[in-house]
């Protein structure tokens, strides 16, 4: 294990808090051509699960159907710590979570409806009270990432070092 990972691990509670407070991450799948394919997605962290939706066709879906192994990454970048006077004495202040596991299709209509409602509430709360018509739920593809490993790490600024916030 890298020293930064060993010394700066997020706790389970911190991982849960980060996953619950964000709604965007990058899903990496194994491409047909052998190259990794990373796609930004909206997600919901619900009952300890990562759930997301998408179309029924496309590169991401094709990759999942062929090989369900995936990596999902969430980063909360909080700015840059100035560590000294030289231009290269700058480092990112962040929290991140990396989940490795397998994607599976969610078939249960009640689960799909619950996930889609939670996603709408997280991304466009003003639409949260609108009903999801059954045909919309039926047309949506909903996926769950079944974790095999979950890690989280952070870099917090040292006392006295200034942090430049991103715009």
């Amino acid at each position: 294990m890298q020293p930064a990972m060993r010394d700066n691990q997020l706790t389970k509670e911190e991982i849960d808090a980060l996953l619950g407070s964000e709604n965007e991450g990058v899903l990496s799948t194994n491409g047909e051509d052998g190259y990794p394919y990373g796609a930004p997605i909206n997600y919901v962290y619900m009952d300890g699960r990562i759930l997301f939706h998408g179309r029924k066709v496309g590169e991401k879906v094709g990759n999942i159907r062929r090989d369900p192994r995936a990596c999902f990454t969430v980063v909360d970048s909080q700015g840059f710590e100035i560590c000294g006077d030289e231009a290269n004495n700058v480092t990112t202040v962040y929290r991140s979570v990396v989940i490795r596991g397998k994607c599976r299709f969610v078939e249960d209509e009640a689960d799909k409806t619950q996930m889609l409602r939670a996603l709408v509430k997280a991304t466009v709360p003003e639409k949260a009270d609108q009903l999801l018509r059954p045909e919309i739920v039926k047309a949506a593809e909903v996926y769950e990432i079944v974790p095999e490993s979950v890690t989280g790490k952070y870099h917090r600024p040292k006392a006295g070092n200034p942090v430049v916030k991103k715009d």
Side-chain angles (χ1 to χ4, degrees), residues 18-160:
L18 176 59
L19 292 173
S21 68
E22 299 294 321
N23 60 14
E24 297 171 353
V26 175
L27 177 70
S28 297
T29 56
N30 295 308
E32 185 175 22
D33 58 4
Y35 283 93
Y37 177 74
I41 61 169
N42 296 104
Y43 76 94
V44 173
Y45 185 59
M46 190 168 63
D47 302 325
R49 304 179 300 161
I50 299 291
L51 298 160
F52 62 98
H53 81 292
R55 299 184 184 271
K56 293 187 180 212
V57 296
E59 187 169 359
K60 173 179 65 188
V61 175
N63 291 346
I64 292 169
R65 287 188 191 284
R66 193 181 55 267
D67 183 351
R69 293 176 301 165
C71 181
F72 181 66
T73 305
V74 174
V75 178
D76 173 27
S77 180
Q78 301 166 349
F80 301 95
E81 176 186 13
I82 309 300
C83 305
D85 295 330
E86 302 295 322
N88 63 335
N89 289 339
V90 175
T91 189
T92 304
V93 178
Y94 69 93
R95 299 177 302 155
S96 67
V97 172
V98 175
I99 299 172
R100 290 181 178 177
K102 293 195 171 91
C103 289
R104 73 169 192 87
F105 296 88
V106 176
E107 304 292 339
D108 182 78
E109 296 295 318
D111 281 351
K112 285 173 69 171
T113 301
Q114 182 183 16
M115 180 275 167
L116 291 168
R117 278 203 177 104
L119 184 62
V120 169
K121 185 176 181 181
T123 57
V124 281
E126 62 274 9
K127 302 268 187 187
D129 292 332
Q130 294 180 1
L131 294 175
L132 288 171
R133 296 187 315 274
E135 63 270 19
I136 292 173
V137 174
K138 188 169 184 69
E141 198 72 82
V142 175
Y143 310 89
E144 172 184 12
I145 300 172
V146 180
E148 293 177 0
S149 71
V150 179
T151 58
K153 67 178 183 174
Y154 66 87
H155 174 78
R156 296 182 183 122
K158 292 187 171 94

